[in-house]
Amino acid sequence: MSDAEAQYALSHQLWSEGKRSEAMAAVETALALRPDFAEAHYNRGAMLQTLNRTEEALAAYELVLALQPRLAHAWNNRGIALALLGRYAEAVTNYDRLLALTPHNAAAHYNRGAALQQIGRWGAAADSFARALSFDPRHADAFGCLAGAALHACDWKRVALLMPRLEEIVRNGSAVIAPLLFLGFSGDPALQLRCAENFVVAAVPRNLALPPRRPVRRERIRIAYLSSDFQDHATAYLAAELFERHDRSRFEVIGLSFGRPDDGAMRARIASAFDAFHDIATVSDAEAAKLLRALEVDIAIDLKGHTQGARPAILAHRSCPVQASYLGYPGTMGCDFIDYILADEIVVPREDATHFSEKIVHLPGCYQVNDSHRPLPPTPPRAELGLPQGAFVFCSFNNNWKITAPVFDVWMRLLAAVPGSVLWLLADNDEARRNLCLAAETRGIVSSRLVFAPRVTLAEHLARHGAADLFLDTQPYNAHTGASDALWMGLPLVTCLGTSFAGRVAASLLQAVGLPELATHNLADYESLALVLARDRTRLKNLRKRLDAGRATTPLFDADRFRRGLEAAYEKMWEIAVEGAGARTFPL
């Protein structure tokens, strides 16, 4: 064995022992001795990728492929690195090249589908996931992703065919289904818990916990918020003012960001709102956990849950005496390392507590924080928005994947019952648009009565709400930030109270803004109420007046009132921990 090979073998051993810096040093020594050592370049890339040093990992894979252009696993990892860097179109091209070498490669078909879905090519993504399953029917993730692609494309025939199998997989745990995806399929909270539990078992390593840290009383409770969304994102739009308003005489507030940084105004605002702000995007989960411990954080708040970009393994190390889930994910984490979920009596009624692995903290009023500095831009003329003048405009600015066939059936009956009316939707992706237009035609509604709004800036998006007459909510997954945007801009919203957290948010918002009568309990009542309002312009005008007047007075948009309730919850959670008691459900 050469010296280079010995160092390469040593790097493997050191890595398996958890000695990561020593392992990196050994593999780099191997490469210094033998620069054309392709497998050492590959292993170095894999190590760097594990350490979230993705740019460096990509460069390592480029070196591998320059030496061995047909090395399949290097092409595979290069594609993963490109996707992690947001270079999805390049990742697709990468996998096309890999599949030319290994056409029956299930992992490559799967990864190609994952990249395609990130650029909104949901039909092509579904085809790739189906190909992955054809070569590996037991693939752990491909079925769930196939179902998700169908949902995003509004391919409801495929959704209906997949749904029984999806529920069966969740019940028996035979494959991994992303919990966020499952919320769009099912409002069953018991199955949502099972789905989250299955996901955590598959995705989060066990036995990560650090030695426990004894909680002690001190002058200020130290809170850390963890997210990848501290930039232009719905979570930041909602929570920025909260971070700014926290009572610094009682709390020290820290931000830990693991998203891709940008130089936008929201990123700057968020960073300046914290007492300390740490970018941990290139830090491993273990190192991030050690940072939390070194900072002596008392309460860690995960703002991601099971959404895209989440890193639950950070809190799986149990760095902090109290750990809670809030805002980003409307459901249970299904794990034993999150003590609490912050909710309210509407989104998680007491009888649903058995469907959560966390203890429930019922905040006073609505659980959703809102920013009272959200802009109030003027509404442009309808002609500029592609809307017919004088028509009644129903709108639903939800992501298209939240639109289900039963809800769409209601919407089409409303269009039929209100002559000349239109339905204003977000232009999400081309395949969803085509399928929605076809679905309208098959229900007797010409597709020109569906108007699609492009993605625009937050201010432009808020401004256009004034051109609509009534917001129609979705089920089993409501509008969340989208609903508060509508109410902030004075647009009345009709919802149907669902059976799980994700489907009950709009009802909570309506209660907090003083319009509980707009939350119905079934789709028949939802349809009836929407039709009554569409035929009664005076009543709609009065609802708008109530919303406009309530913007400065109702609990939903009172950021300081919300802050006081949340801080009381933090103090209660900390007091329970200091007393040595286990987490417990409590109201405020």
Side-chain angles (χ1 to χ4, degrees), residues 45 246 426 476 567:
H246 267 308
L426 279 182
E567 289 179 347

Side-chain angles (χ1 to χ4, degrees), residues 156 403-413 443 475-476 523 526-527:
W156 297 325
I403 303 171
T404 56
V407 170
F408 194 78
D409 288 342
V410 170
W411 294 353
M412 294 303 98
R413 289 195 294 269
R443 288 160 175 79
Q475 271 296 346
L523 283 180
Y526 165 92
E527 181 176 350

Side-chain angles (χ1 to χ4, degrees), residues 464-487:
R464 63 189 175 190
H465 283 78
D469 294 299
L470 184 63
F471 192 112
L472 299 174
D473 200 14
T474 47
Q475 271 296 346
Y477 200 126
N478 286 173
H480 293 183
T481 307
S484 56
D485 284 344
L487 298 173

Side-chain angles (χ1 to χ4, degrees), residues 414-424 444-451:
L414 289 170
L415 290 183
V418 182
S421 61
V422 297
L423 175 63
W424 200 14
I445 300 296
V446 294
S447 60
S448 60
R449 293 179 69 184
L450 272 57
V451 181

Side-chain angles (χ1 to χ4, degrees), residues 10-22:
L10 177 61
S11 72
H12 272 285
Q13 179 182 338
L14 291 168
W15 188 265
S16 68
E17 294 171 357
K19 298 175 181 176
R20 294 186 169 185
S21 59
E22 294 94 331

Side-chain angles (χ1 to χ4, degrees), residues 137-172:
R138 300 174 64 85
H139 192 288
D141 301 302
F143 185 88
C145 289
L146 172 60
L151 199 67
H152 279 82
C154 297
D155 184 351
W156 297 325
K157 289 182 180 178
R158 200 171 206 171
V159 167
L161 289 172
L162 296 173
M163 185 63 182
R165 175 66 178 143
L166 190 71
E167 290 184 336
E168 179 187 352
I169 286 172
V170 169
R171 288 190 178 94
N172 64 31

